Amino acid sequence: MALQGGCQCRKIRYTVEFDEATAVKNFCHCRKCQLATGSPVSAFFTVQEVRQSATQLAALLKASDLFGCHALHRSQADVKFEGTLGVYQSSKKAVRKFCTNCGTPLVFQLVGNAKQELDIYTTTLDEVGRAAPTFHIWMQSKQPWLHLADDLPKYQQERSGDK
């Protein structure tokens, strides 16, 4: 399935093709996501083995050199970005990509991840409901004033077998 999305100011647009039925789709309550977004919870869908356009590969290589990492993505699922993503290394293990104009967070990516995954913020999709989360992670960091009314599985850290 091909879906489109982008940032608030529309300077960054993307098209992603992935299998909606098998995609990992989750809510994340970790403290890093809270600080990166200014919200108590983030929603992601994960795309494995991403192929980027030549423009994005050049930008990724430039960012990789800046941060001393060399993560490239290849074939299978496909994500194509239009516009230039900013890159922020939020920890030794991860980078976050965002619109440099409006600041919309778009991508979380583990550096050196053998599975070569991108976690794309679900709410940046034009059709947000097409990738609804199916479980919660990092419940140990959930804000106590946030009350959840869903029956989705909840994991104190990452779900076993993920990442």
Side-chain angles (χ1 to χ4, degrees), residues 59-91:
L60 183 58
L61 284 172
K62 184 177 179 183
S64 294
D65 290 342
L66 180 64
F67 296 122
C69 61
H70 302 284
L72 294 178
H73 305 285
R74 348 179 174 125
S75 48
Q76 300 278 327
D78 193 13
V79 176
K80 293 186 176 116
F81 287 93
E82 295 176 19
T84 302
L85 292 168
V87 179
Y88 171 68
Q89 187 155 10
S90 58
S91 72

mmCIF file of all heavy atoms in Angstrom, residues 59-91:
data_model
loop_
_atom_site.group_PDB
_atom_site.id
_atom_site.type_symbol
_atom_site.label_atom_id
_atom_site.label_comp_id
_atom_site.label_asym_id
_atom_site.label_seq_id
_atom_site.Cartn_x
_atom_site.Cartn_y
_atom_site.Cartn_z
ATOM 1 N N ALA A 59 22.059 13.299 1.529
ATOM 2 C CA ALA A 59 21.842 13.984 2.804
ATOM 3 C C ALA A 59 22.160 13.061 3.980
ATOM 4 O O ALA A 59 22.752 13.480 4.971
ATOM 5 C CB ALA A 59 20.395 14.488 2.890
ATOM 6 N N LEU A 60 21.769 11.784 3.864
ATOM 7 C CA LEU A 60 22.037 10.824 4.927
ATOM 8 C C LEU A 60 23.537 10.595 5.080
ATOM 9 O O LEU A 60 24.057 10.539 6.184
ATOM 10 C CB LEU A 60 21.329 9.500 4.640
ATOM 11 C CG LEU A 60 21.450 8.414 5.707
ATOM 12 C CD1 LEU A 60 20.907 8.901 7.043
ATOM 13 C CD2 LEU A 60 20.715 7.167 5.264
ATOM 14 N N LEU A 61 24.259 10.496 3.955
ATOM 15 C CA LEU A 61 25.710 10.330 4.021
ATOM 16 C C LEU A 61 26.366 11.535 4.683
ATOM 17 O O LEU A 61 27.263 11.396 5.502
ATOM 18 C CB LEU A 61 26.282 10.113 2.626
ATOM 19 C CG LEU A 61 26.074 8.727 2.040
ATOM 20 C CD1 LEU A 61 26.504 8.709 0.585
ATOM 21 C CD2 LEU A 61 26.826 7.682 2.839
ATOM 22 N N LYS A 62 25.899 12.729 4.341
ATOM 23 C CA LYS A 62 26.437 13.944 4.951
ATOM 24 C C LYS A 62 26.193 13.918 6.454
ATOM 25 O O LYS A 62 27.088 14.188 7.245
ATOM 26 C CB LYS A 62 25.789 15.172 4.317
ATOM 27 C CG LYS A 62 26.343 16.478 4.810
ATOM 28 C CD LYS A 62 25.698 17.643 4.077
ATOM 29 C CE LYS A 62 26.242 18.953 4.599
ATOM 30 N NZ LYS A 62 25.588 20.095 3.972
ATOM 31 N N ALA A 63 24.973 13.566 6.864
ATOM 32 C CA ALA A 63 24.647 13.482 8.291
ATOM 33 C C ALA A 63 25.447 12.372 8.948
ATOM 34 O O ALA A 63 25.920 12.524 10.068
ATOM 35 C CB ALA A 63 23.149 13.249 8.479
ATOM 36 N N SER A 64 25.626 11.242 8.254
ATOM 37 C CA SER A 64 26.386 10.126 8.801
ATOM 38 C C SER A 64 27.818 10.543 9.080
ATOM 39 O O SER A 64 28.385 10.208 10.110
ATOM 40 C CB SER A 64 26.382 8.943 7.830
ATOM 41 O OG SER A 64 25.090 8.429 7.687
ATOM 42 N N ASP A 65 28.415 11.294 8.151
ATOM 43 C CA ASP A 65 29.771 11.779 8.363
ATOM 44 C C ASP A 65 29.826 12.713 9.557
ATOM 45 O O ASP A 65 30.746 12.658 10.360
ATOM 46 C CB ASP A 65 30.289 12.504 7.115
ATOM 47 C CG ASP A 65 30.548 11.544 5.957
ATOM 48 O OD1 ASP A 65 30.666 10.324 6.211
ATOM 49 O OD2 ASP A 65 30.621 12.023 4.819
ATOM 50 N N LEU A 66 28.798 13.542 9.690
ATOM 51 C CA LEU A 66 28.740 14.490 10.799
ATOM 52 C C LEU A 66 28.685 13.763 12.141
ATOM 53 O O LEU A 66 29.322 14.154 13.099
ATOM 54 C CB LEU A 66 27.512 15.399 10.628
ATOM 55 C CG LEU A 66 27.273 16.460 11.695
ATOM 56 C CD1 LEU A 66 28.410 17.468 11.691
ATOM 57 C CD2 LEU A 66 25.957 17.159 11.430
ATOM 58 N N PHE A 67 27.915 12.668 12.192
ATOM 59 C CA PHE A 67 27.741 11.954 13.453
ATOM 60 C C PHE A 67 28.634 10.732 13.573
ATOM 61 O O PHE A 67 28.560 10.003 14.546
ATOM 62 C CB PHE A 67 26.274 11.522 13.621
ATOM 63 C CG PHE A 67 25.339 12.687 13.715
ATOM 64 C CD1 PHE A 67 24.303 12.827 12.819
ATOM 65 C CD2 PHE A 67 25.495 13.651 14.686
ATOM 66 C CE1 PHE A 67 23.445 13.899 12.897
ATOM 67 C CE2 PHE A 67 24.652 14.729 14.773
ATOM 68 C CZ PHE A 67 23.623 14.852 13.883
ATOM 69 N N GLY A 68 29.457 10.457 12.560
ATOM 70 C CA GLY A 68 30.374 9.328 12.624
ATOM 71 C C GLY A 68 29.700 7.979 12.475
ATOM 72 O O GLY A 68 30.183 6.981 12.979
ATOM 73 N N CYS A 69 28.568 7.928 11.807
ATOM 74 C CA CYS A 69 27.893 6.652 11.582
ATOM 75 C C CYS A 69 27.687 6.476 10.081
ATOM 76 O O CYS A 69 27.765 7.429 9.329
ATOM 77 C CB CYS A 69 26.557 6.583 12.321
ATOM 78 S SG CYS A 69 25.384 7.832 11.817
ATOM 79 N N HIS A 70 27.454 5.254 9.671
ATOM 80 C CA HIS A 70 27.317 4.981 8.238
ATOM 81 C C HIS A 70 26.122 4.075 7.995
ATOM 82 O O HIS A 70 26.274 2.924 7.635
ATOM 83 C CB HIS A 70 28.599 4.355 7.683
ATOM 84 C CG HIS A 70 29.775 5.233 7.896
ATOM 85 N ND1 HIS A 70 30.008 6.359 7.144
ATOM 86 C CD2 HIS A 70 30.763 5.194 8.822
ATOM 87 C CE1 HIS A 70 31.107 6.965 7.575
ATOM 88 N NE2 HIS A 70 31.578 6.284 8.589
ATOM 89 N N ALA A 71 24.920 4.585 8.218
ATOM 90 C CA ALA A 71 23.706 3.794 8.040
ATOM 91 C C ALA A 71 23.100 4.097 6.677
ATOM 92 O O ALA A 71 22.756 5.229 6.393
ATOM 93 C CB ALA A 71 22.703 4.131 9.137
ATOM 94 N N LEU A 72 23.001 3.074 5.828
ATOM 95 C CA LEU A 72 22.337 3.218 4.534
ATOM 96 C C LEU A 72 21.149 2.275 4.496
ATOM 97 O O LEU A 72 21.117 1.272 5.185
ATOM 98 C CB LEU A 72 23.298 2.869 3.394
ATOM 99 C CG LEU A 72 24.476 3.816 3.233
ATOM 100 C CD1 LEU A 72 25.357 3.324 2.094
ATOM 101 C CD2 LEU A 72 24.003 5.232 2.950
ATOM 102 N N HIS A 73 20.173 2.601 3.662
ATOM 103 C CA HIS A 73 18.955 1.808 3.576
ATOM 104 C C HIS A 73 18.799 1.281 2.167
ATOM 105 O O HIS A 73 19.081 1.959 1.218
ATOM 106 C CB HIS A 73 17.753 2.681 3.952
ATOM 107 C CG HIS A 73 17.938 3.312 5.279
ATOM 108 N ND1 HIS A 73 17.821 2.618 6.447
ATOM 109 C CD2 HIS A 73 18.281 4.561 5.630
ATOM 110 C CE1 HIS A 73 18.067 3.424 7.453
ATOM 111 N NE2 HIS A 73 18.348 4.602 6.989
ATOM 112 N N ARG A 74 18.304 0.055 2.029
ATOM 113 C CA ARG A 74 18.141 -0.521 0.700
ATOM 114 C C ARG A 74 16.801 -1.229 0.546
ATOM 115 O O ARG A 74 16.198 -1.613 1.507
ATOM 116 C CB ARG A 74 19.214 -1.550 0.389
ATOM 117 C CG ARG A 74 20.320 -1.578 1.306
ATOM 118 C CD ARG A 74 21.333 -2.644 0.956
ATOM 119 N NE ARG A 74 22.383 -2.420 1.876
ATOM 120 C CZ ARG A 74 22.872 -3.288 2.684
ATOM 121 N NH1 ARG A 74 22.518 -4.515 2.645
ATOM 122 N NH2 ARG A 74 23.783 -2.964 3.527
ATOM 123 N N SER A 75 16.434 -1.450 -0.673
ATOM 124 C CA SER A 75 15.279 -2.128 -1.262
ATOM 125 C C SER A 75 14.097 -2.502 -0.370
ATOM 126 O O SER A 75 13.935 -2.013 0.691
ATOM 127 C CB SER A 75 15.715 -3.318 -2.056
ATOM 128 O OG SER A 75 16.589 -4.109 -1.394
ATOM 129 N N GLN A 76 13.250 -3.372 -0.871
ATOM 130 C CA GLN A 76 12.000 -3.857 -0.266
ATOM 131 C C GLN A 76 11.016 -2.709 -0.042
ATOM 132 O O GLN A 76 10.484 -2.214 -1.000
ATOM 133 C CB GLN A 76 12.264 -4.645 1.004
ATOM 134 C CG GLN A 76 13.126 -5.863 0.804
ATOM 135 C CD GLN A 76 12.331 -7.044 0.303
ATOM 136 O OE1 GLN A 76 11.189 -7.196 0.647
ATOM 137 N NE2 GLN A 76 12.927 -7.863 -0.511
ATOM 138 N N ALA A 77 10.723 -2.353 1.202
ATOM 139 C CA ALA A 77 9.809 -1.240 1.451
ATOM 140 C C ALA A 77 10.438 0.022 0.879
ATOM 141 O O ALA A 77 11.646 0.114 0.743
ATOM 142 C CB ALA A 77 9.559 -1.082 2.945
ATOM 143 N N ASP A 78 9.622 0.992 0.551
ATOM 144 C CA ASP A 78 10.133 2.171 -0.137
ATOM 145 C C ASP A 78 9.587 3.438 0.503
ATOM 146 O O ASP A 78 8.396 3.567 0.708
ATOM 147 C CB ASP A 78 9.710 2.089 -1.606
ATOM 148 C CG ASP A 78 10.434 3.090 -2.486
ATOM 149 O OD1 ASP A 78 11.434 3.677 -2.028
ATOM 150 O OD2 ASP A 78 9.992 3.277 -3.613
ATOM 151 N N VAL A 79 10.483 4.359 0.828
ATOM 152 C CA VAL A 79 10.099 5.676 1.319
ATOM 153 C C VAL A 79 10.817 6.698 0.462
ATOM 154 O O VAL A 79 12.025 6.605 0.275
ATOM 155 C CB VAL A 79 10.506 5.900 2.791
ATOM 156 C CG1 VAL A 79 10.166 7.309 3.230
ATOM 157 C CG2 VAL A 79 9.841 4.902 3.701
ATOM 158 N N LYS A 80 10.073 7.654 -0.049
ATOM 159 C CA LYS A 80 10.673 8.729 -0.831
ATOM 160 C C LYS A 80 10.280 10.058 -0.197
ATOM 161 O O LYS A 80 9.093 10.350 -0.052
ATOM 162 C CB LYS A 80 10.200 8.664 -2.281
ATOM 163 C CG LYS A 80 10.724 7.438 -2.999
ATOM 164 C CD LYS A 80 10.368 7.458 -4.472
ATOM 165 C CE LYS A 80 11.002 6.262 -5.142
ATOM 166 N NZ LYS A 80 10.085 5.327 -5.681
ATOM 167 N N PHE A 81 11.284 10.818 0.191
ATOM 168 C CA PHE A 81 11.063 12.132 0.774
ATOM 169 C C PHE A 81 11.306 13.210 -0.266
ATOM 170 O O PHE A 81 12.242 13.114 -1.051
ATOM 171 C CB PHE A 81 12.006 12.363 1.957
ATOM 172 C CG PHE A 81 11.660 11.577 3.177
ATOM 173 C CD1 PHE A 81 12.240 10.346 3.407
ATOM 174 C CD2 PHE A 81 10.748 12.061 4.091
ATOM 175 C CE1 PHE A 81 11.919 9.601 4.534
ATOM 176 C CE2 PHE A 81 10.424 11.330 5.219
ATOM 177 C CZ PHE A 81 11.013 10.108 5.437
ATOM 178 N N GLU A 82 10.485 14.246 -0.244
ATOM 179 C CA GLU A 82 10.695 15.449 -1.045
ATOM 180 C C GLU A 82 10.969 16.567 -0.058
ATOM 181 O O GLU A 82 10.172 16.806 0.845
ATOM 182 C CB GLU A 82 9.456 15.777 -1.869
ATOM 183 C CG GLU A 82 9.122 14.736 -2.916
ATOM 184 C CD GLU A 82 7.825 15.051 -3.636
ATOM 185 O OE1 GLU A 82 7.379 16.223 -3.598
ATOM 186 O OE2 GLU A 82 7.254 14.126 -4.215
ATOM 187 N N GLY A 83 12.088 17.231 -0.226
ATOM 188 C CA GLY A 83 12.507 18.268 0.712
ATOM 189 C C GLY A 83 13.683 17.763 1.527
ATOM 190 O O GLY A 83 14.031 16.592 1.484
ATOM 191 N N THR A 84 14.303 18.659 2.255
ATOM 192 C CA THR A 84 15.494 18.319 3.027
ATOM 193 C C THR A 84 15.139 18.152 4.495
ATOM 194 O O THR A 84 14.610 19.076 5.117
ATOM 195 C CB THR A 84 16.566 19.423 2.880
ATOM 196 O OG1 THR A 84 16.865 19.563 1.491
ATOM 197 C CG2 THR A 84 17.827 19.058 3.633
ATOM 198 N N LEU A 85 15.437 16.972 5.009
ATOM 199 C CA LEU A 85 15.190 16.685 6.420
ATOM 200 C C LEU A 85 16.370 17.137 7.267
ATOM 201 O O LEU A 85 17.526 16.904 6.910
ATOM 202 C CB LEU A 85 15.006 15.174 6.626
ATOM 203 C CG LEU A 85 13.754 14.550 6.033
ATOM 204 C CD1 LEU A 85 13.864 13.035 6.066
ATOM 205 C CD2 LEU A 85 12.532 15.008 6.785
ATOM 206 N N GLY A 86 16.072 17.761 8.399
ATOM 207 C CA GLY A 86 17.103 18.038 9.388
ATOM 208 C C GLY A 86 17.353 16.766 10.171
ATOM 209 O O GLY A 86 16.485 15.901 10.268
ATOM 210 N N VAL A 87 18.546 16.619 10.715
ATOM 211 C CA VAL A 87 18.909 15.433 11.482
ATOM 212 C C VAL A 87 19.455 15.863 12.838
ATOM 213 O O VAL A 87 20.334 16.730 12.907
ATOM 214 C CB VAL A 87 19.974 14.589 10.737
ATOM 215 C CG1 VAL A 87 20.369 13.367 11.550
ATOM 216 C CG2 VAL A 87 19.469 14.166 9.368
ATOM 217 N N TYR A 88 18.932 15.270 13.898
ATOM 218 C CA TYR A 88 19.401 15.537 15.260
ATOM 219 C C TYR A 88 19.748 14.205 15.913
ATOM 220 O O TYR A 88 18.909 13.301 15.939
ATOM 221 C CB TYR A 88 18.328 16.258 16.067
ATOM 222 C CG TYR A 88 18.665 16.365 17.540
ATOM 223 C CD1 TYR A 88 19.716 17.168 17.966
ATOM 224 C CD2 TYR A 88 17.947 15.656 18.489
ATOM 225 C CE1 TYR A 88 20.031 17.263 19.302
ATOM 226 C CE2 TYR A 88 18.255 15.745 19.830
ATOM 227 C CZ TYR A 88 19.305 16.555 20.241
ATOM 228 O OH TYR A 88 19.626 16.632 21.573
ATOM 229 N N GLN A 89 20.969 14.060 16.405
ATOM 230 C CA GLN A 89 21.341 12.826 17.099
ATOM 231 C C GLN A 89 20.876 12.961 18.542
ATOM 232 O O GLN A 89 21.484 13.646 19.354
ATOM 233 C CB GLN A 89 22.844 12.563 17.028
ATOM 234 C CG GLN A 89 23.172 11.200 17.605
ATOM 235 C CD GLN A 89 24.456 10.611 17.073
ATOM 236 O OE1 GLN A 89 25.220 11.277 16.393
ATOM 237 N NE2 GLN A 89 24.674 9.358 17.373
ATOM 238 N N SER A 90 19.753 12.293 18.864
ATOM 239 C CA SER A 90 19.125 12.440 20.171
ATOM 240 C C SER A 90 19.757 11.556 21.242
ATOM 241 O O SER A 90 19.500 11.739 22.424
ATOM 242 C CB SER A 90 17.621 12.164 20.076
ATOM 243 O OG SER A 90 17.389 10.871 19.562
ATOM 244 N N SER A 91 20.567 10.594 20.835
ATOM 245 C CA SER A 91 21.315 9.753 21.771
ATOM 246 C C SER A 91 22.443 9.086 20.997
ATOM 247 O O SER A 91 22.551 9.261 19.783
ATOM 248 C CB SER A 91 20.400 8.686 22.403
ATOM 249 O OG SER A 91 20.067 7.696 21.446
#
